[in-house]
Amino acid sequence: MESREELELELKKIKKWEKSASGLWIWERISRLPFKLLDKLTPHFIHNKIGILLDDLGSFIQTGGKYLTSEKQIFRLIEKESEVRIESYEDIDHLSLQEMRTICDDLIQRRTKVATLQGATTGIGGIVTLAIDIPAILGLSLKTLQEIAIVHGFNPNNKDERIFILKCLQFSSSDVVGKKAILKELSAFYNQEERSNEVMSQLQGWREVVYTFRDQFGWKKLFQMVPIAGILFGAISNRSMINDVAEVGKMLYQKRKIQERLQQLEMKDFN
């Protein structure tokens, strides 16, 4: 396992990333504007899809729903990459942070390839297939974040873990104010003693995830509405989306694992 100095150095790197990730480039501000107009022009059946996504996310929080990933499949992948027998989440805890990062990067590479193909496929039909693409990329985002959670030894079968996953998703698509607020909300996850009903109360804002997620598409999805040309724009936007979501998941889960191990060292020193 890592030493205290190594853990603190890694934590410092992640805090630096958090600070940079909380910014919002001017082009990102501009990119949100066309979608406000697009929203008015969007056919009713796409708005219905958004309503379905709200129901799906509600189900995901409560039971995992259709988006709950297979932990055994990820266990086998971790075994293959680490050459360590993985039968439980406790076994994953014996991996080093570097091993977790390496496996994470491999997973992210796989998921971005899937997202690229998915975006290209749904870009063929313009606005009609856009209605298929939005829930599909949301599902892929949730599965990717769950896989990242498992790689770091956290169980997405737990309800509060699924809340953390949704907050990671919301962080990736929020503006600078939203990002800072979410980081503050997630502080309880980094300290087991502080985790309480306050964390569970974050359920109240889960509906915002779908809307911030949808708005984040901005001008990227505007071009995907054009048949055939949407193939290229769909592939690029979906690849970018999964890359952003996965980076957030990897960094925030690394932070949790580092904080967890620092607490274990403190307990060891205390005893």
Side-chain angles (χ1 to χ4, degrees), residues 69-71 73-78 81 92 99-115 140 143-153 242-243 246-247 250:
T69 196
S70 169
E71 63 181 30
Q73 185 179 357
I74 308 303
F75 282 0
R76 300 292 80 82
L77 175 65
I78 297 172
E81 297 291 334
I92 297 175
E99 286 175 313
M100 291 176 178
R101 267 196 297 268
T102 300
I103 297 169
C104 235
D105 290 338
D106 179 55
L107 267 172
I108 292 170
Q109 188 176 32
R110 295 184 186 202
R111 294 300 168 251
T112 51
K113 287 180 180 178
V114 173
L140 184 59
K143 287 186 180 293
T144 301
L145 289 171
Q146 288 179 80
E147 290 167 351
I148 291 172
I150 294 172
V151 168
H152 288 87
I242 292 299
N243 265 327
E247 181 188 25
K250 183 176 77 170

Side-chain angles (χ1 to χ4, degrees), residues 7 10-12 14-15 17-18 97 152 154 164 183-184 186-187 189-190 248-263:
L7 290 171
E10 291 296 330
L11 184 58
K12 187 176 180 180
I14 291 175
K15 287 182 177 179
W17 171 85
E18 284 181 341
L97 287 172
H152 288 87
F154 297 100
F164 186 88
L183 287 176
K184 186 176 180 180
L186 292 179
S187 62
F189 278 91
Y190 304 128
V248 168
K250 183 176 77 170
M251 299 302 280
L252 294 184
Y253 270 107
Q254 282 268 304
K255 182 177 181 180
R256 281 182 68 187
K257 182 55 64 177
I258 291 169
Q259 294 281 31
E260 184 181 89
R261 290 184 174 177
L262 282 171
Q263 288 175 28

Side-chain angles (χ1 to χ4, degrees), residues 6-270:
E6 289 173 325
L7 290 171
E8 289 177 345
L9 179 60
E10 291 296 330
L11 184 58
K12 187 176 180 180
K13 290 178 182 178
I14 291 175
K15 287 182 177 179
K16 184 178 180 181
W17 171 85
E18 284 181 341
K19 187 175 181 180
S20 64
S22 294
L24 190 67
W25 297 99
I26 185 65
W27 70 267
E28 287 180 299
R29 297 174 187 270
I30 296 172
S31 70
R32 294 168 187 267
L33 298 178
F35 206 86
K36 293 180 179 180
L37 175 61
L38 177 63
D39 191 43
K40 296 178 180 179
L41 303 175
T42 300
H44 186 65
F45 72 90
I46 291 185
H47 284 289
N48 288 340
K49 283 287 184 181
I50 300 300
I52 293 173
L53 292 187
L54 287 172
D55 293 336
D56 283 352
L57 282 188
S59 175
F60 174 72
I61 292 172
Q62 298 300 327
T63 64
K66 64 183 180 182
Y67 294 116
L68 198 60
T69 196
S70 169
E71 63 181 30
K72 289 184 178 180
Q73 185 179 357
I74 308 303
F75 282 0
R76 300 292 80 82
L77 175 65
I78 297 172
E79 279 186 353
K80 182 180 177 181
E81 297 291 334
S82 66
E83 298 183 351
V84 174
R85 184 71 173 169
I86 304 295
E87 295 292 340
S88 66
Y89 287 93
E90 287 72 22
D91 295 331
I92 297 175
D93 279 335
H94 293 100
L95 299 180
S96 68
L97 287 172
Q98 183 55 52
E99 286 175 313
M100 291 176 178
R101 267 196 297 268
T102 300
I103 297 169
C104 235
D105 290 338
D106 179 55
L107 267 172
I108 292 170
Q109 188 176 32
R110 295 184 186 202
R111 294 300 168 251
T112 51
K113 287 180 180 178
V114 173
T116 303
L117 178 61
Q118 179 178 291
T121 303
T122 54
I124 295 174
I127 194 168
V128 176
T129 48
L130 178 60
I132 301 172
D133 186 51
I134 293 177
I137 194 67
L138 174 63
L140 184 59
S141 297
L142 290 174
K143 287 186 180 293
T144 301
L145 289 171
Q146 288 179 80
E147 290 167 351
I148 291 172
I150 294 172
V151 168
H152 288 87
F154 297 100
N155 189 350
N157 286 298
N158 296 332
K159 185 177 180 180
D160 58 346
E161 204 59 58
R162 294 195 292 273
I163 296 173
F164 186 88
I165 286 170
L166 282 188
K167 285 298 175 181
C168 287
L169 181 62
Q170 191 175 12
F171 181 91
S172 70
S173 54
S174 294
D175 59 19
V176 58
V177 177
K179 281 181 166 61
K180 289 179 179 178
I182 292 168
L183 287 176
K184 186 176 180 180
E185 290 172 1
L186 292 179
S187 62
F189 278 91
Y190 304 128
N191 190 325
Q192 293 290 337
E193 295 179 358
E194 292 180 4
R195 192 180 300 186
S196 63
N197 291 332
E198 182 180 349
V199 175
M200 298 305 293
S201 71
Q202 299 305 330
L203 280 168
Q204 295 177 350
W206 66 266
R207 291 177 179 271
E208 299 171 12
V209 177
V210 169
Y211 295 113
T212 54
F213 182 85
R214 181 197 62 179
D215 291 345
Q216 197 269 352
F217 279 65
W219 59 270
K220 300 173 185 177
K221 291 300 177 183
L222 180 65
F223 291 108
Q224 192 175 337
M225 291 176 62
V226 182
I228 307 303
I231 296 175
L232 174 62
F233 292 110
I236 294 173
S237 64
N238 280 18
R239 181 181 181 86
S240 173
M241 171 72 73
I242 292 299
N243 265 327
D244 291 347
V245 168
E247 181 188 25
V248 168
K250 183 176 77 170
M251 299 302 280
L252 294 184
Y253 270 107
Q254 282 268 304
K255 182 177 181 180
R256 281 182 68 187
K257 182 55 64 177
I258 291 169
Q259 294 281 31
E260 184 181 89
R261 290 184 174 177
L262 282 171
Q263 288 175 28
Q264 290 171 354
L265 286 175
E266 288 176 5
M267 290 291 292
K268 187 177 179 180
D269 292 343
F270 180 77

